[in-house]
Amino acid sequence: MSGGLLVAGTTSDAGKSVLTAGICRWLRRRGVRVAPFKAQNMSNNSAVVVGPDGRGGELGRAQAMQAAAAGLAPDLRFNPVLLKPGSDLASQVVLLGEAVDTVTAGNYHALRPRLAATAYAALAELRAEYEVVICEGAGSPAEINLRAGDYVNLGLARQAGLPTIVVGDIDRGGVFASMFGTVALLDAADQALVAGFVINKFRGDLGLLRPGLDMLRQVTGRPTYGVLPWALDLWLDAEDSLAYGRVLGRPAAPRGTDWLDVAVVRLPRISNATDVEALATEPGVRVRLTVEPAELAAADLVVLPGSKSTVADLAWLRETGLADAVRTHAAAGRPLLGICGGFQMLGRAIHDPVESRRGSVPGLGLLPVEVTFDRRKTVRRAEGTAAGDADVPVHGYEIHHGRVSAADPGLPPLLRYADGAGEGARLGTVYGTHWHGAFSSDAFRRRFLTEVAGAAGRTGFKVAPDTSFAAARERTLDLLGDLVEEHLDTDALWRLIESGPPPGLPFVPPGAPG
């Protein structure tokens, strides 16, 4: 068998990523060898894969999550093209895990054939190796200004003969109009691949919705394969930090008498915001993303996360007054953590001839280090221990151009590599590290939060000894599989995956503009 399916959406963040993961988990439960695929992803949230040659490469974090749902290790072919936006006009191009170019509106047209050929070849390889490949689209397939060069949505479906379902987020409103309009703006050949719909994030009486589903079928000739309910517990591994809202997850009641309040600065080009998800799984820890200087004053811990544009985001911190708020927080002896780009911002100076090309700029001056950007990007997995406690293992990954090029002698590291070399820095209650994912290591997370709570005066805060971040992620994947099994017509989905687009699907006028 070499079945396949494209999960498209009426909009970005309609639920494509989670539905793809849920279908992968459902098929895995059936004993099917299934793999995820997204031809092109635009996201600054990425994961690291180590290839057979030992070199590290990047793919979208959503595809790493989908791979876990399918019971697979991440494979760079699952997301052959990753665009990492560095500004509103330019993105770094990561091709099969390696940064190869910078793309703008001006040169994308010339680069697109190479990207499309790479994506098509990767999908062909996966379909030869796996029984089923579940493909995720990007944005909306009805972006008519981009259709001519599309190789992610119906361009991919046409090339590979994939049946397509369209998922829409009913919580946003207008779901029937957006589903009808998505089909009606496609040409006849594209419409012939769109088999039906899935509605996401429904809360209410399904009986009230059902007449709308019947009318949608009447006007499009296509069924709705199911209605997925709103699920509060689906927040881990968000592809875009904007999907979080202000507070991450559902904070559980503290095990002690005190809560711990964590404020994460939502940088304009925030990357790997998923780093702080592990903190939010701890009972009694409230993690919120903010752009308000006043909210930093009340926080027990302030986090400067990663950034795809470190120098530009540092300038934004100063323009918004957040830089002063960060300094005030640190001057009061309250804990401050910088991760990757956030760590670089905490130093004395950043020397950047690569990313921003602005040369040397002053940092926030809260750690006695200087950072220099190299053209060669560091992309690797990292293993080691907490500095000062070899019995606390830490696992993470690195994705950065900047490296510490100068530091005060004797500055204590935050972590240690497996070979004993120090990594990151700490000075009083200011901490910094280049490692993403370090707080997914349960023992290190507990150790860090205990120290932070003491420094913040939250003496009644106690970490939970049984919290497992890996188990929390696995519960999320199981929930996705459960939602697919319980709320979608899986028999109809299986026929679609196995047999391809149904014949005789009607044309919905007016079709694509001429």
Side-chain angles (χ1 to χ4, degrees):
M1 179 181 177
S2 182
L5 179 71
L6 175 68
V7 178
T10 56
T11 61
S12 295
D13 197 35
K16 298 184 294 292
S17 295
V18 293
L19 179 55
T20 298
I23 292 174
C24 285
R25 178 52 59 105
W26 159 62
L27 289 171
R28 180 195 175 197
R29 289 172 175 174
R30 290 187 58 157
V32 176
R33 291 186 296 108
V34 58
F37 180 80
K38 185 164 185 172
Q40 175 184 294
N41 200 346
M42 180 172 280
S43 175
N44 280 329
N45 278 348
S46 59
V48 170
V49 177
V50 178
D53 59 359
R55 295 176 60 186
E58 296 178 73
L59 84 165
R61 176 153 290 281
Q63 281 62 63
M65 179 265 288
Q66 292 160 358
L72 302 173
D75 185 318
L76 294 175
R77 295 174 300 173
F78 295 165
N79 177 209
V81 181
L82 175 62
L83 303 182
K84 304 189 77 173
S87 71
D88 291 340
L89 300 176
S91 296
Q92 184 181 67
V93 180
V94 178
L95 192 63
L96 286 174
E98 184 177 356
V100 298
D101 207 339
T102 297
V103 68
T104 65
N107 68 353
Y108 180 77
H109 180 74
L111 191 59
R112 190 202 69 82
R114 178 187 177 191
L115 305 182
T118 301
Y120 292 157
L123 177 58
E125 288 181 10
L126 293 173
R127 296 192 77 183
E129 294 177 23
Y130 293 91
E131 293 176 286
V132 173
V133 179
I134 305 298
C135 304
E136 178 188 345
S140 163
E143 291 167 349
I144 52 180
N145 56 315
L146 303 177
R147 177 61 186 90
D150 169 51
Y151 63 92
V152 188
N153 291 303
L154 286 164
L156 180 76
R158 276 233 221 151
Q159 196 274 342
L162 296 171
T164 300
I165 58 175
V166 177
V167 58
D169 179 355
I170 196 171
D171 196 58
R172 295 184 177 192
V175 71
F176 292 121
S178 60
M179 286 178 161
F180 176 84
T182 295
V183 178
L185 280 175
L186 304 175
D187 67 22
D190 284 351
Q191 287 194 21
L193 298 174
V194 178
F197 310 100
V198 171
I199 287 181
N200 189 32
K201 295 183 183 178
F202 178 72
R203 36 189 168 183
D205 184 351
L206 191 57
L208 295 177
L209 184 67
R210 199 166 302 282
L213 304 180
D214 295 338
M215 286 184 274
L216 182 64
R217 182 164 193 160
Q218 180 181 347
V219 296
T220 66
R222 292 158 172 84
T224 296
Y225 288 95
V227 178
L228 297 173
W230 177 277
L232 288 173
D233 291 325
L234 296 180
W235 58 275
L236 288 177
D237 289 306
E239 189 170 34
D240 185 337
S241 66
L242 294 178
Y244 287 132
R246 287 179 54 79
V247 177
L248 270 65
R250 289 195 292 167
R255 296 292 177 90
T257 56
D258 281 348
W259 283 81
L260 198 63
D261 188 63
V262 180
V264 182
V265 178
R266 194 194 291 269
L267 300 169
R269 295 296 170 188
I270 190 171
S271 69
N272 289 71
T274 47
D275 285 331
V276 296
E277 290 180 345
L279 302 180
T281 60
E282 283 288 346
V285 180
R286 179 176 180 265
V287 179
R288 54 196 165 89
L289 280 77
T290 183
V291 295
E292 297 294 332
E295 293 194 2
L296 303 192
D300 300 311
L301 169 66
V302 169
V303 180
L304 291 182
S307 168
K308 186 63 187 69
S309 299
T310 303
V311 170
D313 279 356
L314 177 57
W316 174 82
L317 283 179
R318 291 186 165 112
E319 292 165 3
T320 57
L322 283 161
D324 290 337
V326 167
R327 286 196 188 96
T328 300
H329 179 90
R334 300 174 75 80
L336 171 64
L337 168 68
I339 302 174
C340 200
F343 169 36
Q344 295 165 3
M345 295 177 195
L346 294 178
R348 287 189 296 231
I350 298 173
H351 311 290
D352 181 15
V354 176
E355 193 175 77
S356 68
R357 300 180 184 177
R358 296 187 190 179
S360 297
V361 298
L364 296 176
L366 297 173
L367 285 174
V369 300
E370 295 184 19
V371 171
T372 300
F373 277 58
D374 284 339
R375 294 195 177 278
R376 185 175 179 84
K377 194 175 189 180
T378 296
V379 180
R380 63 189 178 192
R381 299 226 180 206
E383 292 188 12
T385 62
D389 194 341
D391 293 328
V392 177
V394 186
H395 305 276
Y397 58 98
E398 298 180 60
I399 306 173
H400 53 89
H401 284 282
R403 60 178 176 81
V404 175
S405 54
D408 279 3
L411 180 66
L414 180 63
L415 303 169
R416 289 198 182 276
Y417 290 99
D419 64 5
E423 195 287 322
R426 57 171 299 166
L427 185 64
T429 56
V430 180
Y431 311 84
T433 178
H434 272 125
W435 287 20
H436 295 291
F439 296 102
S440 299
S441 301
D442 297 330
F444 175 66
R445 182 180 65 252
R446 294 180 190 125
R447 180 182 189 270
F448 179 78
L449 289 176
T450 298
E451 185 173 329
V452 162
R458 300 295 186 185
T459 55
F461 174 80
K462 297 187 183 302
V463 293
D466 55 349
T467 302
S468 166
F469 184 71
R473 177 173 280 154
E474 191 65 18
R475 285 194 298 271
T476 296
L477 298 177
D478 278 335
L479 174 58
L480 289 171
D482 293 344
L483 291 173
V484 167
E485 291 185 4
E486 294 170 15
H487 298 281
L488 299 191
D489 185 345
T490 53
D491 289 340
L493 274 181
W494 178 254
R495 289 192 297 271
L496 194 63
I497 292 167
E498 188 176 37
S499 304
L505 291 168
F507 174 74
V508 179

